[in-house]
Amino acid sequence: MMQPLLRAAAALAGLVGLLALAGPAAALDLNSFRAQHRLPALSVSSELSGAAYEHAHALAGRGRLDHAGFRQRVGSIASTAAENVAYGCESEDCVIKMWSRSAGHRRNMLMKGVTRYGIASATGGNGRTYWVLELGN
C-alpha cells in the first residue's frame, strides 16, 4: 500500500517541479501579440493614448460600448486607423487575449498599415472596466 502512495507522491513532486521551471504564463501585450505573427512592434502614441483615455472614460460614464465619434477622435491624428473596445477585463493581458479571439478585433491588432497605438481603461459606476485601443499611422 505504501509503494503506490510513494510513487504518486514522487510523480506529483515531479509535476510541481516542471511547473516551477515553466514559470508563470507570460503576459500578453499588443506588441507581443504582433511579434507572434511576425509583424513589427508599434510605438506608443501620446495622441492615440489620449484619445483612448477619453473614450474609455466616456464608455465608463455611459456604461456601454460604442465607437461613437471614432473619426473625430482619430481623424486628425492618423489617416489609417482602427479601434477596439471591450469591457470585463481587469488587465491589459486579459483584454488583448479577449480581442485576439474575435476576428474583427484580431484583424485590427494585426493591421499592417499602422505604426502607433494607444490603450487605456476606465472603471464605470457599474464596476466594469472599459478598454479602448486606438491604432493609427
Side-chain angles (χ1 to χ4, degrees):
M1 176 92 167
M2 194 59 133
Q3 278 299 29
L5 287 176
L6 289 174
R7 277 193 293 257
L12 182 58
L15 179 59
V16 168
L18 286 174
L19 290 174
L21 287 175
L28 186 64
D29 63 20
L30 177 62
N31 281 328
S32 298
F33 179 71
R34 287 177 62 85
Q36 290 174 1
H37 295 86
R38 295 180 173 84
L39 290 171
L42 305 179
S43 60
V44 175
S45 160
S46 60
E47 295 92 353
L48 291 171
S49 294
Y53 177 90
E54 288 180 17
H55 193 50
H57 281 81
L59 295 177
R62 290 193 290 272
R64 64 181 173 83
L65 296 177
D66 62 45
H67 296 281
F70 169 66
R71 284 286 157 214
Q72 292 80 9
R73 264 191 310 287
V74 298
S76 63
I77 300 171
S79 58
T80 299
E83 176 179 79
N84 286 357
V85 297
Y87 69 79
C89 283
E90 294 302 316
S91 69
E92 184 175 338
D93 172 69
C94 172
V95 77
I96 295 294
K97 286 176 182 172
M98 182 169 40
W99 283 327
S100 74
R101 293 187 294 266
S102 161
H105 296 104
R106 179 184 185 89
R107 185 173 41 254
N108 286 347
M109 293 192 304
L110 297 176
M111 187 179 284
K112 292 182 181 173
V114 296
T115 56
R116 303 175 304 139
Y117 78 101
I119 188 167
S121 66
T123 302
N126 57 11
R128 289 182 177 157
T129 301
Y130 293 82
W131 288 87
V132 176
L133 172 65
E134 303 287 6
L135 300 147
N137 60 354

